DNA sequence: ATTTTAGTTCATTTAATTGCGAACAAAAAA
DNA sequence: TTTTTTGTTCGCAATTAAATGAACTAAAAT
């Protein structure tokens, strides 16, 4: 593939990653900055470079970078004699990803339990349905735990 | 627990479920209608009852119900000699939940592969990170498959 | 000491989403 | 045939979210 073609595709990919990240609750600009830091060959960007590259205001950049850092998906480093921050992507590992899924499942589990507890008739259609899903989710969560340790041992 | 107390808690729970469902991409009214149909002892509501119960316009109700049906989380039934539709919650099972997670993981996987493919240097910091996560996600997805069949066999 | 750099904060603007009401449609009832 | 019931559709208004610009701060450079 030609160099210019490759770079064009990288930019397109950033856009797609952006839309994907939005579904994880990132706002548009934030979502695309994360894409930038993951995709491009240059893997460390200063504040101004990001403002420049993404054509956004300094305030947007500032807020986006703070959010990404809070979420732990980027970090910055500095170099001696250089006041600028160099922002870069931080890789999560599979255990974090699994832990995240587990957390959301736990929340759903909890909600279902509450629904059941508050039912007048614990054998109502919905109560039965929910008990069934609840059991499934419990099975799933237990096994997520196993998967985590299994993967750890594998390496 | 007293009856009135229980019903009050059910209404509070609907609100919490509403906020939770919003994070799954449902809009506010839609998210809460789903809560209503899951939580209350009355498990089948007509259009008008929903309008009444949620204090929303007919158009909001109409749109919300269509969305919920399209997403497959509610359905409606009718009874002979009664033109009204009776809406009710439809329970998903754990396999659907797992399949949903798997789908999202596949998307992330695909994106990571593309990032790596488009890197000038395949041994760059980010490329290495991503290869590592990619491997983990692959492991995870494989085992999700196993989990699904394992759970099926269990019953 | 003052100017520049490297950002942050906050009030405002812009844009997108959400919900509403009025008009409409199709079937059933009167 | 006309009226009522049970919804749907569509343009508009209100709300909410996102991005901006201007003013500001703290540290470094001149």
């Amino acid at each position: 593939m030609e160099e210019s073609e490759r770079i064009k595709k990288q930019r397109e990919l950033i856009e797609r990653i952006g839309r994907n990240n939005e579904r994880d609750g990132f706002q548009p600009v934030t979502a695309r900055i994360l894409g930038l830091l993951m995709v491009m060959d240059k893997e460390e960007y200063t504040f101004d470079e990001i403002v420049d590259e993404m054509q956004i205001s300094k305030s947007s950049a500032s807020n986006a970078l703070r959010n990404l850092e809070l979420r732990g998906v980027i970090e910055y480093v500095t170099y001696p004699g250089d006041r600028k921050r160099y922002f870069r992507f931080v890789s999560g590992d599979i255990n974090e990803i699994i832990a995240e899924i587990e957390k959301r499942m736990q929340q759903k589990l909890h909600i279902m339990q509450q629904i059941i507890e508050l039912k007048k008739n614990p054998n109502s259609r919905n109560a039965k349905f929910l008990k069934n899903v609840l059991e499934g989710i419990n099975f799933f969560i237990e096994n997520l735990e196993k998967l985590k340790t299994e993967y750890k041992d594998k390496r």
Side-chain angles (χ1 to χ4, degrees), chain A:
Chain A
M1 197 188 311
E2 255 198 63
E3 186 71 358
S4 63
E5 171 74 359
R6 192 173 62 78
I7 289 161
K8 198 180 135 216
K9 291 206 173 181
Q10 283 181 328
R11 301 217 173 271
E12 287 165 10
L13 185 54
I14 289 173
E15 175 58 23
R16 266 192 292 133
I17 291 176
R19 289 196 301 269
N20 196 278
N21 285 337
E22 282 187 59
R23 282 191 292 169
D24 291 344
F26 290 103
Q27 26 186 223
V29 164
T30 310
R32 282 155 185 82
I33 290 178
L34 180 54
L36 180 80
L37 297 180
M38 291 175 80
V39 170
M40 300 309 274
D41 296 311
K42 178 174 170 58
E43 297 185 343
E44 292 185 353
Y45 279 81
T46 66
F47 187 91
D48 281 332
E49 284 168 343
I50 291 168
V51 164
D52 214 58
E53 196 76 33
M54 307 305 276
Q55 308 264 52
I56 55 176
S57 66
K58 288 204 295 172
S59 43
S60 294
S62 178
N63 288 320
L65 291 169
R66 178 157 40 78
N67 281 327
L68 289 170
E69 219 193 320
L70 278 173
R71 290 238 213 164
V73 294
I74 68 166
E75 64 183 5
Y76 65 83
V77 288
T78 54
Y79 297 99
D82 185 347
R83 191 143 63 98
K84 292 192 193 74
R85 297 174 188 175
Y86 289 81
F87 294 92
R88 64 186 190 189
F89 168 63
V90 175
S91 177
D93 68 351
I94 188 66
N95 280 346
E96 284 174 49
I97 294 173
I98 295 178
E100 196 55 44
I101 292 172
E102 200 178 317
K103 201 174 120 198
R104 299 197 61 216
M105 287 298 117
Q106 292 282 10
Q107 284 172 359
K108 293 212 180 295
L109 204 74
H110 187 232
I111 283 178
M112 289 181 193
Q113 279 165 343
Q114 301 224 7
I115 294 177
I116 294 168
E117 275 169 32
L118 288 173
K119 285 284 183 187
K120 190 199 303 248
N121 172 12
N123 292 313
S124 75
R125 183 189 120 96
N126 286 358
K128 278 195 219 154
F129 278 164
L130 292 173
K131 278 177 192 164
N132 189 45
V133 183
L134 212 140
E135 200 188 308
I137 292 183
N138 264 322
F139 168 82
F140 181 61
I141 290 178
E142 274 169 37
N143 283 279
L144 282 185
E145 281 306 324
K146 278 190 220 153
L147 278 192
K148 281 200 287 190
T149 48
E150 205 179 309
Y151 190 72
K152 209 184 299 167
D153 295 347
K154 225 187 75 177
R155 31 216 51 240

